Amino acid sequence: MRRAGLSVFFISLIALIASIACGIAIGPVLIPIDETFKILFGSFFSLTGVDPTHALIIDQVRLPRVLLAALVGFALATCGAVMQGLFRNPLADPYLLGIASGATAGAALVIILQWDTIALALPVGSFLGGLLAVAMVYQLSRGRFGRLDNLTLILAGVALAALFSAVSSFLLYVANNDETRRIVFWVLGGLGGAQWSHVKSLFFIVLIGFTVMLAFAREINALILGEEMATHLGVQPESVKKILMLTATLITAGAVAFAGTIGFIGLIIPHAVRWIVGPNNRILIPVSGLCGATLLIACDTAARTVVQPAEIPVGIITALIGAPFFLLLLKRHRHLSAAHWSERT
Amino acid sequence: MNLRNFLRIFTLSLLVTAILVLPSLAGFPIKIVDDRGKEITITKKPERIVIAGAALYAEILVDLGAAGRVVGITDSADNPPEFARTEKLGNIFAPNIEKIIALKPDLVIGSFGKPRDALEIAGLIVLTTPAIDGSVDVFKTIRSIGLAIDGETQKTDSLVGKFSESIVTDEAKVIELPRPSVAILYPSPESPPFAAGASTPENEIVLRAGGQNSFTDFTQYKQVNFEEIIKRNPDIILTDPSQISLITSNRFLKETKAVKTGKVFGVKASSWTSSRIANTLRGVAKLFHPDAFKEK
């Protein structure tokens, strides 16, 4: 099992590298492969025969966009895996606790207050909005002795998501035309307009979060057996849940802040990967991350090339590819999927 | 002409004059304040222009005789026919940034949000003018764009002069006439329509064209319920041409005077903020007061 998991890990790593290469090579503007190589590894080659416009496109448009897609896909898929494990719920996804609607309300508020001209105010506003939503869900769900009940958390998440959507709708209602346009634009999200500063910020958030998740992989494994069982194994369910929820929230809020809400990745990737490598989170979380990154790069490459010069919102592609793929897996592994959750709860 | 009416025409003339006497810079580099309040510097006369925003910009470039300098344009149903063969750059909200950069434009007009940030990081000059709330804003926009592409405002000033003269002339024709009540509605099949309230371009033009907006008790665009529309019973309803049938077939709106007397007219939604705002005004004034335009 362990060796199988390791080989799957390396296969997904190679797939990710291949998809990054394809993502950089393919685009609406045709740039020859050898020229792309020269631009990417400029310091090793001579820069002769390189069109400066092409260099600009690779350096400032495609590379940050592909890397942002990788980070967002990685973030969503790892968070999805962690959430599904923590809540022992196959429908859990990174947006379970109301992050997306909180982030939207935060972004809308920043736009209404006219702060969005300040650099990074929009991502920061949506980030804080997402954090606020989860903090409220968390406070509301805390029972006696600080116990966190899964069902209460999920219900509070649904209710607060509705509340924050109402706030966004209200802000949209009071906004003038120009502000409405900018809010809608933010909600549409997507990876167009990716910048190096976004890539750098998200990289650090994901790096920290991923390290924490991996460090707690064993504890998540124990939690899947049930909280009582986990306590016997020396795991403190409450503190582990707290730390991991905070981590997943931070990463997801970061992804939402720079790319809006992109559905399906966080839901289907962990399931698909679980079917292949099994439920061990030590393997599941990193492989989910790699596959999520690969899938989002592929979807985004399709989004910006299929109907060019226009672009399709990437969420449409992830749903179009993700949903049938997921159904196919579901049909093939029906017996497995049923067993997966029942035997351990 | 009573004092109030005189004052209204006088203010428009004054505003236009104010625009015209703004410092008439000549020659590049030129500095223009954009919609964010940021100063944009245009170093040389732009020969390759990309339009990545509203159709208004495309119209203005045609009016200023600069259509030939446009090398790429985002999709809009309202783009003038001059740009039918110009390279298309996708949706206004998600323009194709790679393609824009590959076109090597000296100036990108109208982009906003994340795409604008990305274009600016790539070293392009992007100019987007403030949002438009009425004719004066349209004139300011024409002037800013003219300044940006030609480095002087001779052409724009004569254009704005021509437009405002036409507006003032038409306004004088209808200002003494009784004002029909007018609702500007944007309906959707099932829910109540949106109405244009005070401080919208629609409101200004309806007023100047000798009408009275039925909904001035709120600003911007608000959804209004059918009861209220029936109660205010407008003489005339204006809407986008594509939505006329939605109004005439609506079982509540059927009760209004406008639908009963067949006075539901289409005015293209984009023409309220078009550079041809003077034409829009004349068209609307003719709908309100056909007799005033019959002579000669």
Side-chain angles (χ1 to χ4, degrees):
Chain A
M1 188 66 213
R2 235 196 118 86
R3 284 192 49 188
L6 218 58
S7 55
V8 172
F9 176 81
F10 281 113
I11 292 170
S12 13
L13 189 64
I14 292 166
L16 174 60
I17 294 168
S19 74
I20 291 179
C22 289
I24 295 171
I26 302 169
V29 175
L30 196 71
I31 302 175
I33 299 282
D34 58 325
E35 199 185 338
T36 309
F37 255 97
K38 277 186 196 166
I39 294 166
L40 283 175
F41 307 104
S43 41
F44 306 112
F45 294 91
S46 65
L47 270 170
T48 47
V50 168
D51 181 341
T53 310
H54 288 172
L56 194 62
I57 289 174
I58 297 279
D59 286 341
Q60 296 297 337
V61 182
R62 277 192 209 167
L63 201 52
R65 182 163 182 167
V66 168
L67 294 182
L68 190 68
L71 286 169
V72 170
F74 191 94
L76 293 177
T78 48
C79 290
V82 167
M83 289 298 219
Q84 287 170 7
L86 278 187
F87 289 95
R88 277 174 289 146
N89 186 329
L91 281 177
D93 76 352
Y95 308 126
L96 183 73
L97 300 177
I99 296 177
S101 25
T104 306
L109 191 66
V110 168
I111 291 170
I112 296 273
L113 294 173
Q114 311 271 5
W115 290 347
D116 53 326
T117 49
I118 306 164
L120 285 183
L122 255 180
V124 170
S126 62
F127 188 75
L128 293 179
L131 288 192
L132 178 70
V134 177
M136 284 170 77
V137 168
Y138 179 79
Q139 280 301 327
L140 286 170
S141 317
R142 254 188 352 169
R144 273 210 262 172
F145 314 116
R147 223 187 101 74
L148 282 167
D149 178 52
N150 281 354
L151 189 63
T152 319
L153 271 171
I154 293 173
L155 286 176
V158 171
L160 271 164
L163 179 73
F164 275 96
S165 304
V167 171
S168 305
S169 303
F170 177 74
L171 290 173
L172 204 55
Y173 177 77
V174 297
N176 66 32
N177 289 344
D178 194 39
E179 290 159 358
T180 307
R181 189 181 69 173
R182 280 181 287 171
I183 293 173
V184 170
F185 188 69
W186 190 88
V187 171
L188 285 174
L191 297 152
Q195 301 170 17
W196 277 111
S197 61
H198 300 172
V199 174
K200 282 177 197 154
S201 315
L202 192 57
F203 177 75
F204 283 111
I205 295 175
V206 169
L207 185 69
I208 294 166
F210 179 63
T211 312
V212 175
M213 284 176 179
L214 216 52
F216 280 91
R218 199 187 72 86
E219 279 78 358
I220 306 175
N221 286 343
L223 273 177
I224 291 177
L225 302 174
E227 293 186 11
E228 224 170 292
M229 194 65 181
T231 319
H232 282 299
L233 292 172
V235 174
Q236 289 176 300
E238 300 316 319
S239 53
V240 171
K241 270 206 276 187
K242 243 184 270 177
I243 293 169
L244 285 172
M245 266 172 51
L246 181 73
T247 311
T249 303
L250 278 172
I251 304 185
T252 309
V256 172
F258 294 118
T261 47
I262 296 172
F264 271 97
I265 302 265
L267 180 67
I268 61 157
I269 291 286
H271 277 296
V273 173
R274 197 178 286 112
W275 280 319
I276 298 165
V277 304
N280 180 2
N281 280 280
R282 273 183 167 151
I283 297 289
L284 175 66
I285 295 175
V287 174
S288 291
L290 293 177
C291 292
T294 308
L295 182 65
L296 192 55
I297 292 174
C299 288
D300 185 54
T301 306
R304 62 195 162 89
T305 48
V306 172
V307 294
Q308 63 148 310
E311 285 192 14
I312 311 176
V314 70
I316 294 178
I317 308 251
T318 56
L320 268 181
I321 296 176
F325 173 69
F326 185 63
L327 289 173
L328 193 78
L329 278 179
L330 195 64
K331 207 166 148 51
R332 283 178 94 184
H333 295 266
R334 194 160 22 187
H335 56 289
L336 242 179
S337 73
H340 240 102
W341 298 97
S342 58
E343 73 182 17
R344 290 183 174 79
T345 35
Chain B
M1 197 184 295
N2 65 34
L3 184 66
R4 214 178 111 226
N5 290 338
F6 171 76
L7 277 176
R8 288 208 10 251
I9 291 184
F10 182 71
T11 1
L12 179 72
S13 327
L14 206 67
L15 280 168
V16 170
T17 323
I19 295 171
L20 296 183
V21 296
L22 282 171
S24 235
L25 300 160
F28 292 94
I30 288 234
K31 288 182 198 300
I32 297 170
V33 175
D34 76 353
D35 59 334
R36 298 166 292 185
K38 192 179 153 192
E39 205 174 60
I40 305 291
T41 308
I42 299 165
T43 42
K44 63 180 179 73
K45 181 170 172 169
E47 294 299 342
R48 299 177 62 82
I49 300 171
V50 159
I51 301 174
L56 168 71
Y57 296 115
E59 286 176 350
I60 293 175
L61 287 180
V62 171
D63 288 347
L64 294 177
R69 285 149 72 184
V70 176
V71 292
I73 189 167
T74 44
D75 297 325
S76 163
D78 300 316
N79 282 341
E82 280 83 350
F83 300 112
R85 308 183 74 94
T86 309
E87 171 124 39
K88 298 294 178 295
L89 300 170
N91 187 294
I92 291 176
F93 289 99
N96 198 316
I97 293 163
E98 273 188 29
K99 274 210 159 158
I100 295 178
I101 295 174
L103 286 171
K104 299 178 193 166
D106 307 317
L107 176 66
V108 179
I109 300 178
S111 185
F112 52 89
K114 269 200 218 171
R116 163 159 65 188
D117 297 341
L119 291 170
E120 287 187 331
I121 286 175
L124 297 182
I125 301 170
V126 185
L127 174 66
T128 304
T129 52
I132 286 173
D133 278 332
S135 56
V136 172
D137 294 334
V138 171
F139 295 156
K140 277 186 188 159
T141 305
I142 294 176
R143 195 182 152 99
S144 297
I145 298 298
L147 197 59
I149 64 167
D150 288 328
E152 46 94 9
T153 54
Q154 244 172 5
K155 269 189 238 163
T156 59
D157 290 352
S158 72
L159 204 62
V160 168
K162 209 173 75 192
F163 288 154
S164 47
E165 196 186 304
S166 152
I167 289 180
V168 172
T169 318
D170 290 344
E171 205 176 1
K173 282 186 191 161
V174 297
I175 203 150
E176 307 265 308
L177 303 174
R179 291 174 173 269
S181 62
V182 181
I184 308 103
L185 302 179
Y186 297 105
S188 62
E190 285 311 318
S191 52
F194 279 82
S199 71
T200 56
E202 283 93 332
N203 183 62
E204 187 205 321
I205 293 182
V206 162
L207 218 59
R208 291 191 187 282
Q212 177 58 51
N213 187 355
S214 303
F215 294 96
T216 47
D217 39 357
F218 55 81
T219 60
Q220 303 288 334
Y221 305 85
K222 293 275 141 71
Q223 235 173 348
V224 286
N225 67 43
F226 290 114
E227 266 182 42
E228 199 59 36
I229 303 172
I230 294 170
K231 193 178 126 202
R232 301 199 184 185
N233 200 15
D235 301 321
I236 293 174
I237 293 178
L238 299 182
T239 188
D240 191 78
S242 63
Q243 294 177 309
I244 292 180
S245 61
L246 277 179
I247 293 202
T248 49
S249 64
N250 184 289
R251 64 201 155 101
F252 302 109
L253 297 178
K254 263 181 192 157
E255 303 304 317
T256 58
K257 209 160 141 194
V259 178
K260 278 184 189 159
T261 55
K263 292 202 164 176
V264 180
F265 303 112
V267 179
K268 229 163 102 177
S270 60
S271 61
W272 298 107
T273 53
S274 143
S275 70
R276 287 84 192 251
I277 197 163
N279 290 351
T280 310
L281 185 131
R282 178 164 299 168
V284 172
K286 276 182 185 167
L287 294 175
F288 295 169
H289 306 286
D291 298 335
F293 290 87
K294 260 182 189 159
E295 301 100 333
K296 282 174 246 171

